[in-house]
Amino acid sequence: MSEAKYTFVQGNTACAEGALYAGCDFFGGYPITPSTEVAEHMSDMLPRRGGKFIQMEDEIASLGAVIGAALAGSKAMTATSGPGFSLMQELIGYACIAEVPCVIVDVMRGGPSTGLPTSPAQSDLLQAKWGTHGDHPAIALIPNSVEEMFTETVRAFNIAEYFRTPVIILGDEIIGHMREKIRIPAPGELEVINRKLPDGDGVCRLPYRADGKNPACLPNFGKGRFHVTGLNHDGSGFPTMDPSIVQGSNARIIDKVYHQRELIDKVEKIQCDDAEILFLAVGSAARAAEEAVAVLRSQGVRAGLFRPVTLWPFPKKEFRAAAERSKFVVVPEMNLGQLRTVAERMIDESKHPIVPVNLVNGEPLDPEFILDSIKKCCLK
Amino acid sequence: MFDYSTMLRNEKLPHIWCPGCGHGIVMKSLLRAIAKTGWGKDDIVMVSGIGCASRLPGYVDFNTLHTAHGRALSFATGVKLSQPKFHVIVVSGDGDALAIGGNHFIHACRRNIDLTLIVFNNGIYGMTGGQYSPTTPYGDKAATAPHGNLEPDFNVADLAKGAGATFVARGSSYHVPQLDDYIYKALTHKGFSVVDVVEACWTTHGRKQKTKYKNNLDMMKWQRDNAVPLAKAQTMSPEELKGKFVTGILHDVDRPEYVDRYEALIESLKGGDK
């Protein structure tokens, strides 16, 4: 029981196992391809551990139940895909302003609308940041392997609980359904962070009073009879329209994330140091880009891969540094340029031309497609 | 004399409700019913959505959760399933509970989860200025029905019963002692309970019905004159009941409750793979 073990599972199962490792004891969800295996695994495992699974009537209700459970003290999670993720945007904003920790898994598929339910895409990169109305913190992790579906889910819970904010995991149909051998660490091997509760008797009269660096320190329901609302509120949690308070509280929920980036940031850099052709890629597209880098290197081309594992907040400084020596920045992605728009804002295209490689036909992005796409413009 | 101050966040008063609104009457009825249960304040979670009635949790001294429009029942479901020790009460207006929250409403009924829903049914969207709701009477004028409402209205009790709620009552903001009793029975019922409270909104609804009401008192008189207790209603024909509303405990049955079933599942899985 207390040893690491190896298993051969699909990404969605690894995600569910990661949640259980992190202490998730509540799952509310609605069936949707290609994420459903997360819910299926949780529906089996949670009651065996005394946890709770509920299949709600839609994705809005799923996230509502998750937020309610989190306020009652649970570590709570939901999983969905594009259409459901769209529905969840409403309550993602609620969780942001009410500072409720929760994890939302979006196993991306082709879109818009019903799109390509069983095909991979990276359709929701920007929705994960800008989907809900109003300014809000956005944290999104984007695994590129089955093992990372496990480890990043653990990390998602840690970040959510520490910062008291929703954390989004962006899987995709490939990562979600692919099977790989993974190592499940022994209990205690990976750090598991639980939310900070008020000291002493656990009661806090001003649960939302916090400075710019810190998240709120809400008790769980049952301690101190406080008020939670999606209206702008003061330190006590009650609604206010006082401009001097609203200005500060709207900024604080974002600042708390940006002031402790070291707990959130994660980037993988493969041969970036001397890269003249720098790939910027995430998720399953980064798997193809990694292979493209290997092929190019074998041909004597100095190529490298910059892969944000934490997509939001975007690792701007590190990306700029990695792009500094590049002649081209190639952005392969399974959408029509969502990541590219981010890169455009970060670097000077007159010095580092951006080469988009976009695939939205429902097929996986493969190394050959990337290499063919850049042949004319980047390779002599 | 009942001491409301022990259950209110007195510093948050006065409330936002208009003169002539029934919400204050129903809130007091709810507080008296809660007091009768003897539940500790720390053990009560009160949840609401958005709208005039949904501001109620801000005024009461419990664990309170003011959620998004229509979503109160989904949050409440999460609270209750996560921590079954809580007594979870949901307060909601008719638009909140039945239009944007209609899907959550029918599924909470079907699931028979141990929550109590009080529908503050004034037949209008008050907070946004009097647009027609799912319970606005046919023909009434509203901000978005200046020529009269073309839609038929929901019968909340029939809807709840049909969807599987195990306790359904209907009262009004005029018949207060009866309402106390209905709410108390709903709170202590095991399973999903709904109390439909017929109310009035003079400010955004009554004023526009020139031929029906002269003032807000007329709206209360309408409740007095058109409520038909269940026993009497059973002797009346559908024709005779037209334009009236039936009050009383309309449905009260035992059916396995959702959280109980879940706890039993956990118990049955203890001690290894099954």
Side-chain angles (χ1 to χ4, degrees):
Chain A
M1 281 298 282
S2 59
E3 283 178 9
K5 62 177 183 184
Y6 290 86
T7 179
F8 184 70
V9 291
Q10 63 170 238
N12 285 340
T13 308
C15 173
E17 282 292 322
L20 295 168
Y21 185 96
C24 174
D25 61 355
F26 189 97
F27 187 102
Y30 185 82
I32 183 166
T33 304
S35 76
T36 310
E37 295 83 3
V38 184
E40 287 175 356
H41 197 65
M42 295 303 264
S43 71
D44 183 22
M45 297 308 292
L46 277 173
R48 296 175 187 277
R49 298 163 174 237
K52 306 287 173 58
F53 168 93
I54 187 165
Q55 184 168 304
M56 296 298 287
E57 51 273 16
D58 59 30
E59 287 88 348
I60 303 171
S62 299
L63 190 49
V66 160
I67 294 170
L71 285 165
S74 286
K75 277 190 167 180
M77 175 197 205
T78 186
T80 188
S81 186
F85 193 53
S86 292
L87 289 181
M88 285 181 185
Q89 296 305 324
E90 170 186 310
L91 295 185
I92 289 174
Y94 187 95
C96 288
I97 196 171
E99 299 188 68
V100 185
C102 54
V103 172
I104 299 144
V105 182
D106 173 18
V107 184
M108 296 182 287
R109 71 188 216 190
S113 190
T114 310
L116 297 168
T118 58
S119 301
Q122 296 180 309
S123 47
D124 309 338
L125 304 186
L126 295 181
Q127 193 186 15
K129 182 163 175 61
W130 300 114
T132 196
H133 57 277
D135 293 301
H136 58 278
I139 303 176
L141 318 181
I142 182 157
N144 81 337
S145 68
V146 174
E147 183 144 308
E148 271 194 358
M149 282 293 272
F150 181 96
T151 54
E152 290 307 299
T153 302
V154 176
R155 209 162 68 86
F157 272 97
N158 286 347
I159 295 169
E161 293 283 319
Y162 182 87
F163 288 99
R164 281 196 157 271
T165 199
V167 174
I168 293 158
I169 297 173
L170 292 170
D172 63 52
E173 192 280 333
I174 297 172
I175 303 298
H177 283 159
M178 179 169 61
R179 286 172 192 270
E180 290 182 308
K181 186 174 117 176
I182 68 163
R183 180 177 180 277
I184 294 187
E189 194 179 318
L190 295 184
E191 184 185 23
V192 169
I193 295 173
N194 293 313
R195 75 191 66 164
K196 190 174 181 295
L197 295 171
D199 298 330
D201 61 0
V203 172
C204 180
R205 281 182 48 76
L206 293 168
Y208 284 98
R209 173 166 290 176
D211 63 33
K213 281 184 184 165
N214 292 311
C217 189
L218 274 77
N220 295 330
F221 271 150
K223 292 279 187 186
R225 302 194 298 276
F226 56 97
H227 187 60
V228 177
T229 178
L231 288 165
N232 276 100
H233 42 268
D234 61 18
S236 70
F238 284 91
T240 181
M241 291 174 70
D242 180 338
S244 66
I245 294 174
V246 173
Q247 177 81 16
S249 62
N250 273 339
R252 181 180 63 75
I253 59 170
I254 295 170
D255 289 348
K256 71 179 181 185
V257 167
Y258 277 84
H259 280 180
Q260 298 188 66
R261 288 280 296 265
E262 64 277 12
L263 294 170
I264 304 170
D265 286 350
K266 189 173 174 184
V267 174
E268 185 186 30
K269 285 177 275 191
I270 295 173
Q271 297 183 287
C272 284
D273 288 347
D274 63 344
E276 293 182 341
I277 295 178
L278 181 72
F279 289 93
L280 168 65
V282 292
S284 58
R287 295 280 285 255
E290 188 176 343
E291 179 62 20
V293 167
V295 171
L296 290 171
R297 285 274 169 182
S298 73
Q299 295 167 356
V301 179
R302 290 207 291 266
L305 169 65
F306 184 90
R307 176 173 79 93
V309 182
T310 297
L311 177 62
W312 309 119
F314 190 83
K316 185 161 99 178
K317 275 187 204 160
E318 285 191 270
F319 174 61
R320 279 182 170 156
E324 192 55 38
R325 285 168 302 278
S326 66
K327 289 182 179 164
F328 297 99
V329 172
V330 182
V331 189
E333 50 187 328
M334 293 189 290
N335 57 54
L336 288 175
Q338 298 189 24
L339 196 52
R340 182 182 75 211
T341 64
V342 181
E344 283 167 357
R345 300 209 320 272
M346 306 278 168
I347 55 176
D348 181 351
E349 285 188 76
S350 67
K351 292 177 186 156
H352 316 281
I354 292 173
V355 181
V357 178
N358 306 109
L359 194 69
V360 287
N361 67 355
E363 292 180 342
L365 191 59
D366 61 36
E368 293 74 23
F369 182 82
I370 295 174
L371 291 167
D372 282 351
S373 302
I374 66 171
K375 208 178 280 174
K376 271 188 193 163
C377 57
C378 308
L379 305 175
K380 284 163 208 156
Chain B
M1 179 75 187
F2 186 86
D3 182 8
Y4 297 97
S5 68
T6 61
M7 303 177 86
L8 288 169
R9 291 165 170 152
N10 297 288
E11 71 282 9
K12 298 297 173 193
L13 298 173
H15 56 64
I16 64 164
W17 301 318
C18 304
C21 173
H23 290 356
I25 297 168
V26 182
M27 178 172 78
K28 287 170 78 175
S29 182
L30 176 57
L31 293 180
R32 288 189 298 270
I34 290 171
K36 196 175 166 191
T37 64
W39 296 339
K41 293 195 286 185
D42 283 341
D43 299 329
I44 296 169
V45 179
M46 197 173 281
V47 187
S48 69
I50 296 295
C52 294
S54 290
R55 284 303 189 92
L56 191 156
Y59 307 128
V60 293
D61 189 19
F62 309 120
N63 308 286
T64 53
L65 177 53
H66 178 223
T67 73
H69 196 27
R71 315 303 173 208
L73 282 168
S74 65
F75 283 67
T77 297
V79 171
K80 182 68 184 179
L81 184 56
S82 170
Q83 295 293 335
K85 67 178 180 187
F86 287 129
H87 305 289
V88 184
I89 304 162
V90 180
V91 293
S92 195
D94 40 285
D96 193 48
L98 305 166
I100 191 166
N103 197 26
H104 313 310
F105 177 89
I106 57 173
H107 289 279
C109 292
R110 177 182 60 82
R111 225 171 253 130
N112 195 33
I113 184 166
D114 190 19
L115 308 171
T116 296
L117 171 68
I118 314 289
V119 182
F120 291 61
N121 186 358
N122 59 8
I124 204 77
Y125 285 92
M127 187 165 262
T128 46
Q131 299 76 24
Y132 69 93
S133 88
T135 58
T136 302
Y138 171 78
D140 273 17
K141 290 193 166 150
T144 46
H147 313 293
N149 177 23
L150 299 178
E151 301 185 16
D153 56 330
F154 264 142
N155 181 322
V156 183
D158 285 353
L159 181 65
K161 186 180 164 186
T166 46
F167 181 97
V168 182
R170 184 187 287 117
S172 86
S173 57
Y174 181 86
H175 304 84
V176 173
Q178 293 90 334
L179 184 62
D180 285 19
D181 183 51
Y182 303 155
I183 295 178
Y184 171 75
K185 289 189 170 125
L187 293 174
T188 51
H189 173 81
K190 181 85 174 178
F192 191 68
S193 52
V194 180
V195 182
D196 176 25
V197 187
V198 175
E199 282 192 53
C201 175
W202 168 251
T203 303
T204 73
H205 182 211
R207 286 188 303 139
K208 290 176 185 155
Q209 321 312 319
K210 306 270 188 230
T211 56
K212 272 183 161 177
Y213 318 110
K214 285 194 294 294
N215 51 39
N216 54 3
L217 189 60
D218 274 356
M219 298 188 88
M220 295 295 277
K221 285 178 181 165
W222 183 90
Q223 292 174 32
R224 179 194 66 190
D225 297 339
N226 290 283
V228 181
L230 179 61
K232 186 172 179 206
Q234 284 164 342
T235 69
M236 293 166 69
S237 69
E239 278 305 304
E240 289 171 316
L241 281 169
K242 214 170 177 187
K244 314 260 180 206
F245 64 97
V246 180
T247 61
I249 293 166
L250 308 176
H251 184 59
D252 184 3
V253 294
D254 276 332
R255 194 158 62 79
E257 190 272 332
Y258 176 76
V259 179
D260 271 0
R261 278 191 163 166
Y262 206 99
E263 299 273 318
L265 168 67
I266 290 173
E267 199 56 38
S268 75
L269 290 171
K270 275 184 182 163
D273 279 340
K274 277 177 191 159

